[in-house]
């Protein structure tokens, strides 16, 4: 936009200003120094012309600016959406893991166990890879709960879970499948390796002061999952019966020793 003043000499200096507008006071002379000039129709005529090329450039720049702002806004929305998606995925994974974790012992629960053992049985049927199934049942747990309280019972379960987990490989699975019952899924073991694991489990529990009955079996080619589970249970109950028999024998020996000590005469000391 351009402005042309006509006539060009109308406001050139103070004299012409006073001549044009004699009604100005002396105080108004400072307007000229400050470049503040009163316009009057009879003194100045303005002629305007529009520069279309300049307007086009301004319009293009404005459009480009709007486009860039739109891209930035879209990118911000996408980033926020992606962040929300990642957070939602992490939350879902945490909830999924929590739904398959025992709240007290922080190992796998029965749901996770059922899923894992079914998957492993399916893998065995397809590829023929055997797995080991170990069942651990804590001895005297009900009596401990009844006589010493549930807090002591909970501590016993946590101790047992920690000791069992310490003996497993990272590829194996430990789960709490009942109140005082644990199960272990051992991937591709050998018969000797499974037997050695049972002895390590028994020793670790005994060292921690936890008595337990343990049964183990290897999966067989023509056996179903239920049959394999039943076989491990049978081995565990045989171990429980043998343990009860050993404890009864130890109790009888202790009783006989106590009676013998009570009936043995004490030798008198000579004076």
């Amino acid at each position: 936009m351009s402005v042309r003043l006509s006539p060009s000499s109308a406001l050139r200096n103070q004299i012409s200003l006073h001549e044009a507008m004699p009604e100005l006071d002396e105080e108004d002379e400072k307007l000229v120094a400050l470049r503040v000039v009163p316009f009057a129709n009879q003194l100045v005529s303005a002629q305007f012309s529009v520069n279309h090329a300049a307007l086009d450039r301004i319009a293009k720049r404005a459009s480009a600016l709007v486009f860039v702002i739109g891209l930035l806004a879209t990118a911000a929305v996408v980033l926020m959406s992606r962040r929300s998606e990642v957070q939602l995925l992490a939350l879902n994974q945490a909830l999924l893991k929590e739904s398959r974790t025992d709240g007290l012992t922080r190992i796998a629960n029965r749901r996770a166990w059922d899923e894992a053992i079914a998957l492993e049985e399916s893998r065995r049927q397809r590829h023929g890879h055997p797995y080991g199934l170990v069942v651990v049942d804590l001895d005297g747990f009900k009596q401990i709960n009844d006589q010493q309280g549930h807090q002591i019972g909970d501590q016993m379960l946590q101790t047992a879970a920690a000791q069992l987990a310490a003996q497993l490989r990272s590829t194996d699975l430990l789960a709490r499948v009942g109140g005082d019952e644990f199960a272990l899924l051992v991937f591709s073991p050998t018969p000797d390796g499974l037997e050695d694991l049972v002895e390590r489990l028994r020793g670790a529990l005994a060292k921690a002061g936890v008595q337990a009955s343990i049964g183990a079996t290897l999966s067989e080619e023509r056996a179903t999952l239920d049959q394999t589970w039943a076989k491990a249970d049978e081995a565990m109950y045989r171990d429980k019966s043998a343990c009860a028999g050993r404890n009864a024998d130890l109790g009888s020996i202790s009783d006989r020793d106590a009676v013998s000590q009570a009936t043995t005469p004490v030798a008198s000391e000579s004076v």
Side-chain angles (χ1 to χ4, degrees), residues 31-77:
L31 296 177
V32 177
L34 293 176
R35 300 183 184 276
V36 179
V37 179
F39 287 86
N41 291 331
Q42 67 272 22
L43 296 179
V44 180
S45 63
Q47 297 180 359
F48 297 90
S49 62
V50 178
N51 190 334
H52 293 282
L55 288 179
D56 289 340
R57 289 194 297 270
I58 294 173
K60 290 179 180 179
R61 291 176 182 176
S63 298
L65 180 61
V66 171
F67 179 73
V68 171
I69 293 175
L71 285 180
L72 293 176
T74 302
V77 171

Side-chain angles (χ1 to χ4, degrees), residues 9 13 73 121 125 230 234:
S9 61
N13 50 46
E121 174 64 18
Q125 293 175 2
E234 291 173 2

Side-chain angles (χ1 to χ4, degrees), residues 185-239:
L185 179 60
V186 185
F187 295 93
S188 301
T190 62
D192 292 340
L194 187 62
E195 183 177 352
D196 180 66
L197 173 62
V198 170
E199 293 305 317
R200 294 202 315 270
L201 296 174
R202 198 188 310 277
L205 290 174
K207 187 175 180 180
V210 178
Q211 294 184 351
S213 301
I214 304 176
T217 187
L218 277 172
S219 61
E220 298 177 354
E221 182 179 355
R222 298 184 179 180
T224 64
L225 174 59
D226 291 338
Q227 290 171 338
T228 304
W229 182 271
K231 190 175 180 180
D233 262 344
E234 291 173 2
M236 183 271 294
Y237 282 115
R238 286 196 302 269
D239 185 59

Side-chain angles (χ1 to χ4, degrees), residues 3-15:
V3 178
R4 185 175 62 185
L5 301 180
S6 179
S8 59
S9 61
L11 301 178
R12 179 176 300 176
N13 50 46
Q14 296 182 13
I15 296 176

Side-chain angles (χ1 to χ4, degrees), residues 246-262:
R246 289 193 298 268
N247 291 338
D249 292 340
L250 290 175
S252 299
I253 293 174
S254 299
D255 292 340
R256 287 197 300 270
D257 290 343
V259 172
S260 176
Q261 291 176 4

